[in-house]
Amino acid sequence: MKKSGLILTALIGLAAASGVLAAVPQTAKPAAAALSVRYEELSSPDFVQAVARSGGTCIVPLGILEKHGPHLPLGTDLIDCREVSLRAAAADYAVVFPPYFVGQIFEAKHQPGTIAYGSRMMFDILQQTCDELARNGFKKIVLVNGHGGNDAFLHFFCQSQLEARHDYVVYLFEPSEDEATKAKLDKMRKTAVDGHAGEEETSVMLAHHPGLVRLDRAGAESGEDQKRQAGLTNAYTGIWWYAGQPNHYRGDGSAGNAEFGRALIEAETAALVEMVRSVKKDTVTAELQKKFFDDAAKPLETKPFVRK
Ligand SMILES: [Zn+2]
């Protein structure tokens, strides 16, 4: 799957190059250009074809702008989840939405470079993005989250799709690893504590954008859990992450290596390809959603399921 992704990327590159040369008179008819998987690269007429070819499936990779330890770029989550999304879309055609960096990141407001939009705005922008994609024919929207701080928000966002009737479905990518993949990755892993700009994220960036990694700086700050709320039991507070990881760094990026990164990207891409294929085939969710809203409009008429 990784190979076919690279081949398609190469084809897109060639198509772009042939566009540049279009002014040169040619006797042979140019071959039809491949449809880009990148939303922003499609022409308006090609967009119509892309919607059809994707089965109305658009992938929205969600990143954020936040510190990633002292050694990784602010857009790490954005760059990483786009890489996986682009590879998956190339393997099984889907359109990938342009870079999207609006999400929940209040916990890093004390660090340079964080862009933390308000909670209502982040909800509205995502809802309106989905509405606009659906108005343009994408009835299956796949959210690929690259940022841990978005987890609760995106689950709430999915639950909120039941607030009002939609003619589209929002799917959230939730990868799981099979036993063999898990064992392979565990064998390659060198550190026990990870979670933000640690071994995994550093490895992934080393695998596909090594020039953006300053590995020599990875040990300049502590990625250890400071356990500053250790006295609190059976309780959750919004400050929990800052309490443990005030440097917005969890783990040790020095342990990162490109080989581990490639394995992580391949595993996640394979899981996403599998998900996109199941989403494209899925008709049940849209039917259930419709039935649910029909019932919700007349709850007194809702028929119970009887025991078989
Ligand atoms: Zn993040």
Side-chain angles (χ1 to χ4, degrees):
M1 269 168 282
K2 188 185 159 201
K3 270 185 186 163
S4 64
L6 292 174
I7 290 164
L8 187 63
T9 309
L11 283 174
I12 293 163
L14 284 173
S18 70
V20 172
L21 298 173
V24 180
Q26 290 173 358
T27 46
K29 247 186 162 184
L35 275 181
S36 178
V37 297
R38 296 171 189 255
Y39 191 109
E40 67 276 18
E41 290 183 0
L42 293 163
S43 66
S44 203
D46 284 349
F47 179 85
V48 178
Q49 281 186 49
V51 172
R53 188 168 159 204
S54 66
T57 308
C58 186
I59 299 175
V60 184
L62 297 116
I64 207 89
L65 296 172
E66 59 169 344
K67 177 181 178 184
H68 272 82
H71 60 296
L72 292 178
L74 295 168
T76 292
D77 296 346
L78 181 70
I79 297 165
D80 285 349
C81 72
R82 280 185 64 76
E83 179 71 19
V84 168
S85 299
L86 290 166
R87 290 183 188 206
D92 200 311
Y93 190 82
V95 175
V96 178
F97 194 76
Y100 189 100
F101 52 86
V102 180
Q104 191 298 122
I105 186 54
F106 300 129
E107 66 273 24
K109 281 178 81 169
H110 63 302
Q111 295 290 355
T114 301
I115 298 291
Y117 293 104
S119 50
R120 284 166 192 82
M121 183 180 250
M122 76 178 82
F123 191 101
D124 290 347
I125 292 179
L126 187 55
Q127 189 70 70
Q128 290 192 23
T129 298
C130 293
D131 289 349
E132 282 298 281
L133 286 172
R135 192 176 63 77
N136 280 285
F138 289 115
K139 303 300 183 190
K140 295 179 172 185
I141 298 169
V142 175
L143 305 181
V144 175
N145 183 26
H147 169 55
N150 267 345
D151 283 347
F153 163 57
L154 291 178
H155 280 95
F156 174 63
F157 183 80
C158 288
Q159 289 173 311
S160 300
Q161 299 314 296
L162 299 186
E163 184 179 353
R165 191 188 285 271
H166 299 290
D167 66 343
Y168 60 88
V169 179
V170 176
Y171 302 84
L172 178 61
F173 176 48
E174 298 215 298
S176 57
E177 290 151 1
D178 56 62
E179 286 303 313
T181 306
K182 195 180 173 309
K184 181 187 164 190
L185 295 175
D186 284 347
K187 215 174 158 192
M188 297 176 89
R189 190 173 280 112
K190 294 175 193 154
T191 55
V193 176
D194 201 345
H196 190 71
E199 184 184 356
E200 285 205 9
E201 281 188 308
T202 306
S203 296
V204 168
M205 194 60 75
L206 282 169
H208 69 98
H209 277 87
L212 297 178
V213 182
R214 291 295 307 264
L215 209 54
D216 56 318
R217 292 186 191 160
E221 294 180 13
S222 168
E224 292 159 320
D225 188 342
Q226 303 300 311
K227 301 191 167 115
R228 294 187 293 177
Q229 277 186 313
L232 202 56
T233 309
N234 297 338
Y236 176 88
T237 68
I239 203 80
W240 75 275
W241 175 262
Y242 174 78
Q245 320 298 151
N247 291 332
H248 210 51
Y249 185 16
R250 181 177 172 82
D252 182 3
S254 317
N257 65 91
E259 197 195 348
F260 185 39
R262 280 190 289 274
L264 288 164
I265 293 174
E266 278 167 23
E268 189 145 329
T269 303
L272 183 55
V273 169
E274 221 180 300
M275 184 232 188
V276 168
R277 285 184 179 146
S278 75
V279 163
K280 283 183 171 180
K281 281 189 211 142
D282 178 43
T283 53
V284 171
T285 310
E287 284 161 17
L288 286 175
Q289 239 178 239
K290 183 182 177 307
K291 173 86 171 78
F292 170 80
F293 285 113
D294 290 346
D295 287 352
K298 297 174 185 171
L300 303 188
E301 294 171 25
T302 297
K303 304 276 184 298
F305 276 70
V306 290
R307 285 175 194 273
K308 283 174 188 161

